[in-house]
Amino acid sequence: RWARIPDEGLHIACASISFAATFAQQLRAGFKDETSFLQRMAAMPDQARAERQLKILANRFQVPLVQDAVRLHDRLLADMEAGLENRSWLAGEAYSLAEACLTPYLERLDRLGLSPMWEDSRPRVADWFDRIRDRPSYTTAITAFVPATYDDRLKERGEGVWLEVAPILSAA
């Protein structure tokens, strides 16, 4: 069940949050003027995607699609907290595919400065993530991998994101 969650909407929700937090501004900054930027958007084969991107660029976390993505992550974290109540790992007493499938999504939230989503109110998820980070495989798969461009600077670029996300969660 846990391993299916990324394919059932979490992955696209993560992309929406990431785009709102950092990538939209990065995309816009890559063009020397507004005309060039708008030409690029008009040339996109998927105009529905271009419209979504323009809305997110203009309104960040005020876009319903992005707010829904935040809420989906929050529900996942609540489910994880409940699932970890009587066991050490999501699917039992051993590290499993469930952890491998969900770790990248918590890692991305953390890199965006959104770890308060679990650090402040979900102690079992916080402990789970600490134990994930203590594993040698985490170092091999995550920290030893240094992307050539923006990925390791997400926290820096996403500074202040928590201030935009916290009200969405308190209104839920």
Side-chain angles (χ1 to χ4, degrees):
R1 147 183 119 102
W2 294 106
R4 289 192 327 250
I5 290 172
D7 291 336
E8 294 175 345
L10 184 65
H11 190 76
I12 192 67
C14 183
S16 297
I17 291 171
S18 298
F19 191 76
T22 64
F23 300 148
Q25 292 76 22
Q26 178 183 335
L27 171 66
R28 178 61 192 92
F31 292 87
K32 63 180 186 258
D33 57 47
E34 188 71 9
T35 301
S36 300
F37 173 68
L38 292 175
Q39 286 173 341
R40 188 267 192 192
M41 298 306 283
M44 284 181 68
D46 183 349
Q47 279 300 296
R49 181 178 181 196
E51 286 299 316
R52 285 191 307 272
Q53 288 184 350
L54 287 169
K55 284 179 186 173
I56 293 171
L57 182 60
N59 300 297
R60 292 176 50 103
F61 286 89
Q62 297 308 309
V63 176
L65 169 79
V66 178
Q67 292 177 346
D68 290 345
V70 168
R71 288 187 204 85
L72 178 67
H73 279 79
D74 190 54
R75 283 191 303 275
L76 168 66
L77 293 166
D79 289 348
M80 290 174 68
E81 184 71 14
L84 292 164
E85 184 175 1
N86 296 312
R87 56 187 176 261
S88 300
W89 298 98
L90 292 171
E93 293 307 313
Y95 178 91
S96 71
L97 183 60
E99 279 73 32
C101 288
L102 295 177
T103 295
Y105 298 96
L106 271 73
E107 179 65 25
R108 174 55 61 94
L109 291 177
D110 182 58
R111 288 185 185 198
L112 291 171
L114 295 176
S115 58
M117 290 179 76
W118 65 86
E119 287 178 345
D120 296 344
S121 60
R122 295 179 171 119
R124 289 185 285 268
V125 174
D127 175 65
W128 176 90
F129 197 51
D130 287 344
R131 287 183 290 118
I132 291 286
R133 288 180 153 179
D134 287 342
R135 294 177 55 80
S137 61
Y138 180 88
T139 300
T140 302
I142 307 289
T143 58
F145 174 72
V146 180
T149 57
Y150 51 76
D151 203 42
D152 279 346
R153 294 189 342 217
L154 287 178
K155 230 179 221 181
E156 174 187 321
R157 290 192 177 145
E159 195 166 309
V161 171
W162 176 243
L163 298 175
E164 293 182 73
V165 169
I168 297 167
L169 297 173
S170 65

